[in-house]
Amino acid sequence: WMTGFAAVIWIAVIVLTFYAVKAPPERHDRRRTNLLIIGGGAVVPTIAVAVLAMYGLAPIPALLAPAPDGSLRITVSGEQWWWRVSYQPPGGEPVVLANEIRLPVGRPVEFRLESPDVIHSFWIPALGGKIDMIPGRITRLALTPTKTGVFRGACAEYCGTSHALMNFDVIVEESAAFDRWLAQQRAPASMINEPDAARGQELFFANGCAACHQIRGTPAKGVIGPDLTHVGSRRSIGAGMLPNNSATLLRWIARTEQVKPGSLMPSYGMLPEEDLKSLAAYMEVLK
């Protein structure tokens, strides 16, 4: 409806422009000109904007109202420049991951939104309106996905150097599939059986990665960076920047600051190529 309104207004402006250019000068009398200015410049835009505002604002109270008791609650923290996502299932321990959100279709969910650094804005255009994440405050957004699919989310408030590189995927799936996924995400990291990945695990601890990252089921308990317990199961890395595979994982580890300017994660390009491949292999098997 808003696009249609904008299209009608645009067409009207173009028609009036052609009229102003092509019409004989004698038609531009003062009375007609004044009516055009008052009607087209003040009355029509006021009515059009008022109608669009009423239409656009109507869904907002439902989005800001608390979700029903027992609904799935997800805390999302916008950080420079990635998303910390924490599921709060009723009666269970929080499940923490990063840069990806999964939702069950047809079930209400309430997002609790916060930021530890600067103002971000949480926006999933296909599912709901945008809302700011303000340091020192918790804002809420409630929605109920009505169709399955993969949707793009983004930060809609300029927040620094890599603002444009701060995105995330939202996967809406059937309720049973979501429950299986959440149960899998609750589990600790699986045992490592592949030799190259096992070597990557050793390198992970030897190079201080555990100081910033957590991998549940291992001694890695860092909370500064994203939780990597099941990083290999995510669709992308770097907050929606790169597809998740061994080549992009290696590139991210070796040249983090080149891939995402301003990133707080140091680049590990000084490591030998074989070490980087082993670290990438370890990340890849963390399903």
Side-chain angles (χ1 to χ4, degrees):
W1 278 101
M2 296 182 80
T3 302
F5 243 107
V8 170
I9 293 169
W10 181 81
I11 291 170
V13 170
I14 296 300
V15 169
L16 288 171
T17 302
F18 273 102
Y19 171 78
V21 172
K22 299 295 184 182
E26 58 270 16
R27 289 192 182 180
H28 294 273
D29 61 88
R30 180 176 294 276
R31 180 174 176 277
R32 182 175 294 180
T33 301
N34 287 340
L35 286 174
L36 200 60
I37 292 172
I38 295 170
V43 176
V44 173
T46 300
I47 294 172
V49 171
V51 171
L52 287 174
M54 287 188 290
Y55 178 80
L57 294 174
I60 289 181
L63 294 173
L64 299 181
D69 290 340
S71 298
L72 176 66
R73 283 173 167 75
I74 305 174
T75 298
V76 181
S77 175
E79 307 193 16
Q80 292 177 306
W81 288 270
W82 61 284
W83 308 89
R84 191 188 302 271
V85 181
S86 178
Y87 285 77
Q88 311 282 337
E93 291 294 319
V95 179
V96 181
L97 56 151
N99 300 322
E100 185 174 290
I101 295 173
R102 292 198 183 224
L103 301 174
V105 69
R107 282 164 52 182
V109 57
E110 180 178 290
F111 289 100
R112 294 166 53 92
L113 307 168
E114 59 189 22
S115 169
D117 40 50
V118 300
I119 296 176
H120 302 276
S121 186
F122 182 81
W123 191 26
I124 312 170
L127 300 182
K130 68 183 76 167
I131 188 165
D132 281 352
M133 313 167 90
I134 303 168
R137 294 183 58 184
I138 294 177
T139 51
R140 289 176 170 82
L141 175 69
L143 55 85
T144 303
T146 57
K147 58 183 178 181
T148 59
V150 179
F151 306 97
R152 190 72 161 173
C155 178
E157 177 85 22
Y158 180 72
C159 55
T161 307
S162 282
H163 159 70
L165 306 177
M166 185 177 171
N167 303 297
F168 58 97
D169 286 330
V170 181
I171 301 99
V172 181
E173 54 193 2
E174 296 297 335
S175 189
F178 170 80
D179 290 338
R180 289 193 299 270
W181 172 83
L182 189 58
Q184 184 265 337
Q185 292 293 312
R186 278 199 190 101
S190 55
M191 297 293 293
I192 306 301
N193 298 317
E194 301 175 17
D196 198 27
R199 182 170 178 271
Q201 186 180 46
E202 294 174 2
L203 291 165
F204 181 88
F205 289 99
N207 287 280
C209 305
C212 292
H213 296 286
Q214 175 171 335
I215 299 177
R216 284 178 280 113
T218 77
K221 303 295 182 184
V223 296
I224 297 173
D227 186 295
L228 301 179
T229 305
H230 298 290
V231 64
S233 67
R234 295 170 195 161
R235 290 172 52 87
S236 63
I237 59 173
M241 287 190 61
L242 302 169
N244 192 356
N245 57 53
S246 56
T248 56
L249 283 164
L250 188 151
R251 179 183 170 197
W252 176 261
I253 296 167
R255 298 190 295 277
T256 315
E257 293 171 351
Q258 292 179 24
V259 176
K260 177 166 282 192
S263 173
L264 298 180
M265 176 177 165
S267 299
Y268 282 84
M270 71 289 191
L271 295 177
E273 183 78 8
E274 289 304 312
D275 287 1
L276 292 171
K277 287 181 179 179
S278 295
L279 280 167
Y282 178 45
M283 296 295 102
E284 197 171 18
V285 301
L286 290 175
K287 303 290 188 182

